[in-house]
Amino acid sequence: RPAPRKPPRRTDLRPRFQALAAARMIRAGGLVAHATATVPGVAASPWQPAGIQRLLRFKQRPGPFLVLADATRTAMRLAPFFTPGLRRLMRQSWPGRTTLVFRARPGLPACCYQRGWLAVRVDASPFVRELARRCGGLMLSSSLNRRGQATQALNRRWRWRWHRHLAALLPGEAGEGIPSTIWRVRGRRTERLR
């Protein structure tokens, strides 16, 4: 006779509920501060003008902003064509701490692009990928700091200081605090930017 199944512990369900609640806030046009595999970030929906305006006001700059994708397949849809180098880097680097910059299809807000180039990452954090999935596959993201300031840690004191900008602050496993590695793919050439 098989042993009865134990119900899942509350701690197992909490990240899922947090991702669901945070995704609702992002889809409604809010900003959410969250942990990533690199540095803490702030996320908005690329399809909500109110969220984009909040991100622009919070960051005090016009962009360009990083696009976080839920999966490599989603990120691949953003590229109009694939060079062998781009395809290889996508498969080797994602999910991970690597951001790829490449020519991209139009369709996202102007604050994502810099002269037709787009920065995309499929984060190593399963929570960030789940959050992006619940937001429609893509999120706008940037480091959790304002112009000219250092990246902030995720803590309640910081959340209250910027409560008028942030809808929520999601605690989570912080990354190593090291920014992502950035590669630009230009035709057959790849160039490390950071």
Side-chain angles (χ1 to χ4, degrees):
R1 182 173 172 178
R5 292 180 75 185
K6 292 182 182 178
R9 294 183 311 169
R10 181 183 167 114
T11 56
D12 295 338
L13 295 175
R14 189 170 179 192
R16 288 185 188 160
F17 290 132
Q18 285 180 339
L20 182 61
R24 283 184 187 143
M25 290 177 200
I26 291 170
R27 287 192 316 259
L31 287 183
V32 172
H34 61 91
T36 69
T38 57
V39 296
V42 60
S45 171
W47 298 286
Q48 281 295 330
I52 294 168
Q53 288 305 313
R54 283 187 176 96
L55 182 61
L56 294 171
R57 277 195 306 271
F58 176 76
K59 291 298 289 184
Q60 300 173 320
R61 65 180 175 89
F65 296 111
L66 171 70
V67 175
L68 289 175
D70 65 341
T72 303
R73 186 176 329 134
T74 306
M76 289 176 122
R77 290 187 203 127
L78 299 171
F81 55 87
F82 291 95
T83 62
L86 179 59
R87 190 178 302 272
R88 180 180 43 79
L89 274 172
M90 284 180 167
R91 289 189 176 147
Q92 289 176 353
S93 305
W94 291 340
R97 296 179 52 242
T98 302
T99 299
L100 299 181
V101 178
F102 53 88
R103 289 271 180 203
R105 294 177 193 271
L108 292 174
C111 65
C112 298
Y113 301 95
Q114 184 173 19
R115 297 187 189 118
W117 295 84
L118 187 67
V120 182
R121 184 171 78 230
V122 179
D123 202 74
S125 166
F127 180 78
V128 172
R129 293 194 310 269
E130 177 67 16
L131 185 58
R133 185 184 71 77
R134 291 182 181 273
C135 289
L138 300 173
M139 291 188 309
L140 294 182
S141 184
S142 188
S143 56
L144 187 59
N145 65 333
R146 301 198 78 190
R147 192 162 111 191
Q149 298 177 355
T151 301
Q152 303 293 311
L154 290 170
N155 60 48
R156 289 184 191 269
R157 185 181 63 178
W158 203 83
R159 158 70 169 100
W160 288 114
R161 181 176 177 196
W162 302 110
H163 70 278
R164 69 178 180 268
H165 296 286
L166 300 175
L169 185 138
L170 298 174
E173 288 186 32
E176 299 170 14
I178 301 169
S180 67
T181 304
I182 301 176
W183 289 90
R184 179 167 48 199
V185 182
R186 198 183 274 186
R188 295 181 181 266
R189 288 183 26 221
T190 56
E191 172 187 6
R192 185 172 176 159
L193 301 179
R194 178 173 70 196

